[in-house]
Amino acid sequence: MTDTLTTLPPGTREHLLSPVTQAALRVQNAITTGARDYLGAHGFQELMPPLIGPVTDPGIRGSKQVDVDFYGHRYKLMTSVILYKQASLLAFDKIFYVAPNVRLEPLETADTGRHLAEFTQIDVEVRDASREDVLELLQGLVRHIVTHVLRERRADLDLLGRDPAAFEALLREDFERMTHRAAVAQLRGLAHGQSADAEIDWAGEKLISEQTDRPFYIVDYPKGSRGFTDGESAAEPGILRNFDLIAPAGFGELASGGERTHEYRRLIERMRETGENPAKYAWYLDLARDGLPASAGFGLGLERLTRYLCGLDFVWQANAYPKLPGIASP
């Protein structure tokens, strides 16, 4: 259900007074409550996320970083807290943030229904974990959140016209795992010209999402398609130990994650391979030189998950003050 026929949000007053906005934000509150309950019960420490830093995650799929003047130093608004998640494991074995991010997304993403320039992620990291460990963790987290929302916010889902039957397969069956190579083959079979060397493009992500009734993982992206933090497989050189979680019914990507590059020399190599200047990352590399723990984790998009659970047309409907790429707004 939606209260608009346009891909653009209405004015602030109209948006905040909309019953759809209010219901979606109540569901979103239940999502964060459910996530904190689940992660807390599994031994995770919540930390407050940094908003600015000397560097941020470079693997941001064509979007641009935002610079700020920090007392004469050029700092960045966080596009992702992944570097800080790795550092936080020096203090705790399992951590998470509910973290705001800012990315100047390409203008063409303004009408995908899935992109905001300002958004929030539930960011999770686990020391000495494998990709398989966090795939299981993420499945359990999503299932717990859905169960919590169905129990606590059923009236809001009814208002939004969201049938709980949409989540039966999610709650009943394990999330399937598909390699990037298999995803490319499936998309080409659907007459979509997906590159075998790149991330699944926006149109392909929506198309492959429409082929199933429950979330699924795409794993094993090719080296070169993601940033230096994604760890490369020791057994299969050229393959990254990473993943995306894709929602069904055209809703697309909900989360990304995987095992991390953490060894100092390997980080230098991966930075150079991905066109990054190691000198920019002095703070982070100093930590790595003294030893960063092996880890795996993920970032789960809060607005995207809200959109999926509510059955909304546009991700901006899941944000009180939405900012679409290229569109000035409060």
Side-chain angles (χ1 to χ4, degrees):
M1 176 180 177
T2 178
D3 60 346
T4 179
L5 297 177
T6 176
T7 60
L8 301 180
T12 300
R13 177 178 294 274
E14 182 182 352
H15 181 56
L16 290 174
L17 289 175
S18 164
V20 169
T21 302
Q22 294 170 10
L25 295 180
R26 285 191 294 266
V27 169
Q28 189 170 99
N29 186 68
I31 290 171
T32 55
T33 299
R36 285 186 165 107
D37 288 347
Y38 184 85
L39 293 170
H42 284 77
F44 282 82
Q45 172 74 31
E46 181 176 5
L47 301 177
M48 295 299 102
L51 302 180
I52 63 172
V55 291
T56 187
D57 178 18
I60 50 177
R61 200 170 180 175
S63 59
K64 295 180 180 179
Q65 301 173 353
V66 178
D67 294 330
V68 296
D69 182 352
F70 186 66
Y71 300 100
H73 297 275
R74 186 179 179 182
Y75 270 43
K76 306 284 186 182
L77 294 181
M78 287 296 107
T79 60
S80 162
V81 290
I82 184 171
L83 306 182
Y84 289 87
K85 287 198 298 181
Q86 287 183 278
S88 295
L89 295 179
L90 294 170
F92 301 99
D93 289 344
K94 299 178 178 181
I95 63 98
F96 76 98
Y97 303 111
V98 179
N101 298 275
V102 176
R103 299 181 186 181
L104 300 184
E105 298 281 2
L107 294 178
E108 60 267 24
T109 64
D111 60 0
T112 64
R114 304 193 299 284
H115 290 85
L116 293 170
E118 182 181 73
F119 62 97
T120 302
Q121 290 192 146
I122 300 171
D123 265 299
V124 176
E125 200 75 12
V126 184
R127 182 174 182 143
D128 296 325
S130 68
R131 180 183 66 188
E132 283 63 38
D133 293 332
V134 294
L135 290 177
E136 291 295 326
L137 175 68
L138 179 53
Q139 177 178 281
L141 174 62
V142 170
R143 282 178 164 173
H144 179 85
I145 288 170
V146 171
T147 300
H148 181 78
V149 167
L150 289 173
R151 182 178 67 246
E152 301 295 330
R153 304 284 8 142
R154 180 63 177 270
D156 289 312
L157 296 179
D158 289 343
L159 184 151
L160 295 164
R162 188 59 157 154
D163 186 351
F167 309 113
E168 288 180 356
L170 178 156
L171 295 171
R172 184 181 65 246
E173 303 174 41
D174 287 341
F175 300 173
E176 291 185 354
R177 302 177 189 184
M178 173 188 297
T179 65
H180 178 271
R181 180 179 296 178
V184 169
Q186 181 175 353
L187 285 168
R188 289 178 175 177
L190 294 167
H192 180 76
Q194 172 64 45
S195 168
D197 301 316
E199 292 195 82
I200 306 300
D201 60 39
W202 309 128
E205 181 186 295
K206 183 175 186 294
L207 180 59
I208 201 168
S209 170
E210 292 170 338
Q211 310 306 311
T212 183
D213 64 351
R214 68 184 186 278
F216 67 97
Y217 294 116
I218 299 178
V219 302
D220 294 349
Y221 280 74
K223 186 178 175 181
S225 66
R226 291 280 173 92
F228 67 78
T229 57
D230 284 27
E232 184 176 0
S233 170
E236 298 180 86
I239 298 297
L240 300 176
R241 294 279 295 165
N242 61 359
F243 67 89
D244 283 341
L245 174 64
I246 308 296
F251 285 95
E253 179 193 324
L254 294 178
S256 290
E259 296 175 15
R260 313 303 188 189
T261 311
H262 66 282
E263 306 97 332
Y264 175 77
R265 290 184 179 179
R266 189 67 184 124
L267 279 166
I268 296 288
E269 292 172 359
R270 293 281 287 124
M271 286 178 181
R272 289 172 174 161
E273 288 171 354
T274 57
E276 290 290 327
N277 179 5
K280 289 170 41 181
Y281 296 89
W283 160 80
Y284 174 67
L285 288 173
D286 283 347
L287 290 176
R289 184 185 291 109
D290 291 334
L292 281 173
S295 69
F298 56 83
L300 174 62
L302 180 58
E303 289 89 355
R304 287 185 175 185
L305 182 57
T306 306
R307 176 187 176 229
Y308 166 55
L309 296 190
C310 293
L312 302 173
D313 292 332
F314 312 113
V315 72
W316 60 256
Q317 294 172 290
N319 189 296
Y321 302 99
K323 295 176 179 64
L324 269 68
I327 299 171
S329 54

